[in-house]
Structure formats: C-alpha cells, structure tokens
Amino acid sequence: MLNEDLLAGDRRSGATHADDRQTFRVPPAPAVPPSEDAVTLLRDAILNKLAYALGRTPATARDRDWFAATALALRDRVVDACLASPAPAVPNKRVYYLSAEFLIGRLLSDMMGNLGLADTARAALAQLGVDLDAVAGAEPDAALGNGGLGRLAACFMESLASLAIPAYGYGIRYDHGLFRQLIEDGVQREVPETWLAEGNPWEFERPEAACSVGFGGEVAMTVQPDGSIRRVWRPAETVRAVPHDTTVLGWRAKHVNVLRLWQARAEEPVDLGRFNGGDHVGAVAERSRAEAISRVLYPSDSTPAGHELRLRQEFFFTSASLQDLVRRHVAERGDLRSLPDHAAIQLNDTHPAIAVPELMRLLVDEHGLSWEDAWHVTTHTLAYTNHTLLPEALETWPVELMERLLPRHMQIIYLINWMHLESLSKHGRVDAGSLAAVSLIDETHGKRVRMGHLAFLGARRVNGVSALHTELMRQTVFAPLHALDTDKIVNKTNGITFRRWLHNANPGLTRLAVEAVGARVLDDPGALDGLAAFAEDAGFQARYAAVRRGRKEALARVVKERTGIRLDPGALFDVQIKRIHEYKRQLLNILETVALYQAILAEPHRDWPARVKIFAGKAAPSYHQAKLIIRLASDVAKRVNADPAVAGRLTVAFVPNYSVSLAEAIIPAADLSEQISTAGLEASGTGNMKLALNGALTIGTLDGANIEIKEHVGDDNIFIFGLDAAGVQATKAEPGYAARAIAASPRLKAALDLIASGGFSPGEPDRFRPLLDEVTGPDRYLLTVDFDDYWRAQRAVDAAWRRPHGWWRAAILNTARTAWFSSDRTMREYAEDIWRVRVGPGA
Ligand SMILES: *Cc1c(COP(=O)(O)O)cnc(C)c1O
C-alpha cells in the first residue's frame, strides 16, 4: 500500500470528527513532479531487468516479476550510491551489530523512499500499465525475527545508514522466517513461511567470503618453541558459513551499509562414495545436518528453546561474524591489539553472547595474543544489550551440552569465571554466598552457563532499553554484578525509524506535517514539535482527522478481506497488536471487552461510543495459554459481532498473521494504542512508539517506554492506569490478591462468570478453564488487581472520544512530541556513549 491510494482515501473522506472551523491556511508545498527523463530512465532499467535478469516479457510478467525487476533496478541505484559515496573505504571505526533476528519486512518502499524515487517509480511503472501498489504488495516480508527485538535491529540498521555510521549487521539467513499464522475456528495453526521461494532480489551472495565454523571434537595441547602451551580446538565437524549481503541504504541515499546474513552449507555437498554405493539418501545426510542450522527461525520470543540446534545457530553466526571482522581488521590494520580502536561489537541480547569466549579463542589460540591482551581487547570491543528480566527468558545452557558442542569455549568460560571470582575474593569484595550470585555457572538447576552474566563480564558497556528497565536491571537480575562495577550499566531507550513508521507507512500524515512545518521535518524529526502550534486549529484538525479516516477505511477493507468482519471507520479503533504473551495482558483487554459487552446489554440506551477492538499477534507454537487467548478473542468476536443488541457499538476483530506489513496498515489507522503490560515486565516496547507517533492515544501502564512517552506527550494526552512496578512487587508479597480483587469487583466477576459458563464456547464451558484458573488463582500478571482501574481508564477514553476537538488536539500533540523516539536519537546515543564512533558527514 503506497502513497497515492491512501491520499485518494484522504480526498474521498473529507473532514470527519472535527468541528468545521477551517483555519489551517498554510499553502501546500508545491509538489515537484518527477522529471520525465528520470521516469524514462527508470522505466527502461526496469524493462531491462525484466528481460535480461528474469527472462520475462511485459505481456507475461506477474506482479511478482515486476517487483523483482523494480527491486533489481533500484538495487543498481543503491550500488551507484555506494560507489559515489564520499565515505572512506577504510573508515576509522566500524560498528558490528550481532543479532539472531532482523525483522525487516518489505524493503521496496524503504529503498524507494531513501533513494527519493517513490514518485518516479510509480510513474515509470504506470507508463508500463503497472500499478506500484500491486507490485509492492507482491514482495514477501522478510520475517527473520519474532517481534520487538528483531524489529529493533532492523530499525537500528536503517538509522545507522541514515546517520552515515559505518556498520555491518550480522545475522542468520533463515530459509524460513517466522511462521505464517492461520486462524481456523479461532485456533492458531502455523505453516512455514517461504520468503525465498522465488529468490531474493535484494541480496548478493558472497561465496568468496565464506568461512568454516566448527562443532564438537576435542582440545589438543601443543608445546610452542618457547616452551609455552598452546591449545588447539580440533572440531569433529565443520560447517560452511556463506554470507549473503543486503545493502542498507540511508535516508537520501547518503550512505550505504551492509546487512550480512550467514547461510549454513555442508563442506562437501555430497558423499560421493556413499552415493555411488547406492545410498542416495545417506550420501546427503551430512549436508542436511549442516544446512539445518539456517533452516528456520526459532518461533519463540521470550523463552529460550532448550534445543541443541538453537545453540548451534547462535555459535554459527557469532563465530562466522567474528572471523569475518577479525579477518577484515588484520587485512586493514595488521595488529589485533588495536581492534577496540576500530571496531565496536554490539550483542543484541544474549543470543550472540558466545562471542565472549569465541573472540578470546580467536585472539589467543588462533592469533597468539596473551590472555591478558586478549581479555583487554575483548572487554573493550564488546557491548551487550539486555532485553528482558523475565526469569524464564534469561538464557542459560547446560555445561554438559557446552562441553560436548563447544569444548574449548567451555574451558575459556571456566577460566574467565575463575579469574573473575579470584579477583573478587582477593579484593575482599565477596563472601561465599554472593560468589554464587556472580558466578558464570548457575549450580542451582544442574550446572548451567548464565549467558547474561557472560555477556556482562565480557562487555565494556551493558545497556537496558528504557529508563525503568535499566533501573530494574541494576536492582534485580544484575544487582550483584552491578555492585562490582557501577558504571557499566547504562540506559539507551529504544527507538523506531521514522522513514518506515511515518514517511512510508503514513504518507498522508507526512505530507500534512511537511505542509505545516516545512520539508525539514523529513530530515529532522525534532521539527515535528512545530505541529503543536496547530493542535487547537480546527482546519488542521480536520485535515489530520481526514488522513486518519482514509487509513481507517483502508484498514477496514483489509480486515473485511481477511476475516469477513465489517468495521465502521467512524468508530474508535482500539488496537492491541504485538506478540501474544501473558505479561502483555491481551487477556485483560478481552475481559474488559466482555465487561463492556455486558454493560451495553444492561444499559442499551446509554450513549456508548462506537468502538472497534482490533487484536493481532502470533503465539509461540508451544505456548498453550497464549494460543488459548487467541481462541478467546476469536470466540468473543464471534458472539459480539453477531449480537444485534450491540451492533454499531462494539465490534471485535482478531486479524491473522501479524507482520511488519500488517503493522504498517494498522498503525496509521489506530485511534487508541493498548500498552497494558504488568508494570516492570515490558522492557521497553516499540509498538507504543510507532502508534503514538502516528497519533494514537495510549492507554497504558507505567511500564517500559510508556513512562517516557507519558513524559513527552504530557499527562493530559495519555491514559495511565494500574499499579506501577513497585506496586506490583508489593502486591505480589501479599498472596490472595486475586480472590480479594474479584470479590471487590462485581463487573470483573460477571465477565469471568460469563466465560466460565460457556458464554463464548457454547457446549464447551471448560474451553477456557486454563485461562480462568490462572486469573482466579495465582494471577501472576495481576489482571484482577488492575481490572477496575483499567475499566475506569477506558471510560475516560469514551468521554474523551465524545469531544472531538480535545481528542484531535491530544492526537496531534502525540505526533508533535514523540520525535525523541526516533531510532536516530537512539543510535546517536549508542555512538557517543557505547561505541565511541563518529556520526558520519551530513548526519
Ligand atoms: C514493532 C513491532 C513489534 C513490537 O511490538 P511491541 O508492541 O513493542 O511488543 C512486534 N512485531 C512487529 C511486526 C512490529 O512491527
């Protein structure tokens, strides 16, 4: 979905939901039409690619072919931008961003936008009788991530390029990204995702830069001529890591970086002896085993999969990436002791934490540095970002598995641990009890390596992703380590790239912002604050509301197509879109929906504002409670949408297969953003930022970056409810809170009773028993305790929605005041405080 369609929507709808004083009189910036020459040039380039790269003619080309041809033509332009770049071939310092996930989404509008060729491409394709929106829609999402963590990595890559910070992203080129979600009778079914089925026009395969990654085997000792002992890892098995590079283009094509994703291949494609002996399957068994490493993304976003394959994936991409950057450094600078001056390696969560012993191994065993020099290099090059404090999500690996798969690394981890504990006890800084807390080995559940502790010790800086989360890191999981080095933990609140989440996802709003405050807003999101001056302006409000209305109509079409549910674009669109997880509390939202349904039935003559509840999100396949939450949302939708008594007042939709592309369709259409996690459990959130930027008002708890959003948009322009993190702790200290809260809330009790009596599962009252048992029993996520205040906040939303002037004022102020959540700001902070790398020219 791209510009003109949506702008057409804007024109169609006219002013809505704002009073009719028209005072906004800024003359529209003259639209500069693309030059005829540029259009012809791009058109011919696309035709060329279609013929010579794809072997197709315009007569037989499908949208997917036009997409590939357009992508290849644009990729040439990116290469041109690369070649024309003023940046030195050997920059003084590079950033290496290691992440097991990059949730990229589609790249076409990103590339067109940053090349400044969106209008040119539309015109060029139009000359060929082809619609750009259809072409863009034919691009598969690159879904190489589960949710927020992977999307953050993708936003960071775009911002690094836009800031002209020399950087490589390193990750895994999964054949199959996050599963495609089907909803059948309310039940989630996962089917494999196949983004590479028709090739990937954005990437360059680089077989010449491949390297080998070992597994298993043993550690041999050799005596050097000088009498010293050197340890040599002799892996039992090696796997080829083949890089595939995607160019990452910065805003206005000023700078190009590379996202290098590793594909696993067998060293030998086939065992010829076995094949010729007739064992055709056995002959490729080795190959299947090797290639399994980059086959699929683990569909778990907050619990470590306890699978050997997962550890193999982590080591595979970490080792290949470190080998790659070490090789580059040696070629460019010679001496590895200068690595910290020229490289900063960021570990996105603990998935690449094995980098600590792997870098030590490369430096000591392979390149002959002393242990002390190598430790200095390692701890001045690595930095680590923590993304969660949920105990079940803190990654640990059994020592036994590590010893078998990575024997040399286990030795190095033991040595690091020994030196760490020795130095503490020598300086009298710990007693026996606290030694256990700071040890790299957790002895309480069998021996396991604590990957967070390992990353912490190996890093020069460790960061949290919002102010609250960073503070909780210091107070809880990392408290004992923090006490030993109080400068190490720093905060870097997450951000989002405005090119994708404002310019490309919401061109109508972007155009309005440009008209109101000038084109510099495209380069400097800080200029958005100029919109505040128009917040009360009826004419501007009408324009702003019309943009929203156009997007709501467009979303209604998508929802109708995918679910058959008809949405009224005039209703309040209340959205909760994110992974399904108990701590994110979609269930709280559903309980409120049920209570609202009952309230409307009980008082049909009250002026309930029309509301549409939109849910989207995937559940990890083995996470039964999360899947049951999806089922409940779907079942509630079924009954509510069929009940004429609430028709026109309440509609519920669960939109299947949440993805970056779906997020781009929903976010500009949202009026209300649900950010209702149990306080203390959402590290930051970034969906909250995307929605606030696009002018949805937040209903949320004092959790993660919600707190900072509240500080920026102001208390009057956000709906806060519920316990804060300290309140959650205090409540949890007094068991029995759920029973007390339910007893005190007839409304909550009635909603629970309706579900328990089969109100949404006729003939099967026990369908939702596991959810109800959790909520009425331990209620670990404190739904019952927060329910009444959530209900109150939702009714405050109703009241605010009935006053359009105030509503749009608040919405405009959300857009005006969320510039700080640009990932450009986040990346500048990392550059200054963590990486100590210069932001490039023009940035
Ligand atoms: C932004 C985004 C997320 C993260 O959403 P949260 O609400 O912060 O959990 C997850 N998935 C997709 C596709 C996103 O675009």
Side-chain angles (χ1 to χ4, degrees), residues 103 147-148 151 501 577-578 584 658-660 663 675 685-687 690:
L103 184 48
R151 184 52 235 171
W501 295 110
I577 49 173
K578 49 184 75 244
K584 291 179 182 277
Y658 186 52
S659 64
V660 173
Q675 308 299 337
T686 50
K690 300 166 196 168

Side-chain angles (χ1 to χ4, degrees), residues 268-351:
E268 298 293 344
V270 57
D271 181 338
L272 268 186
R274 286 174 83 172
F275 191 88
N276 292 335
D279 183 5
H280 302 153
V281 173
V284 291
E286 199 56 41
R287 178 172 169 183
S288 306
R289 184 174 155 75
E291 293 179 355
I293 292 176
S294 56
R295 191 79 70 209
V296 290
L297 167 77
Y298 267 93
S300 152
D301 76 328
S302 67
T303 53
H307 293 124
E308 182 172 331
L309 184 58
R310 171 98 174 189
L311 183 57
R312 286 165 68 91
Q313 288 185 329
E314 294 181 356
F315 180 67
F316 168 76
F317 93 92
T318 304
S319 173
S321 307
L322 292 179
Q323 290 182 53
D324 198 52
L325 70 90
V326 162
R327 180 169 57 189
R328 186 172 303 113
H329 182 84
V330 170
E332 290 174 357
R333 314 269 173 187
D335 190 341
L336 276 167
R337 274 165 298 202
S338 66
L339 188 68
D341 300 333
H342 304 293
I345 303 173
Q346 190 69 35
L347 308 178
N348 192 27
D349 212 322
T350 54
H351 313 137

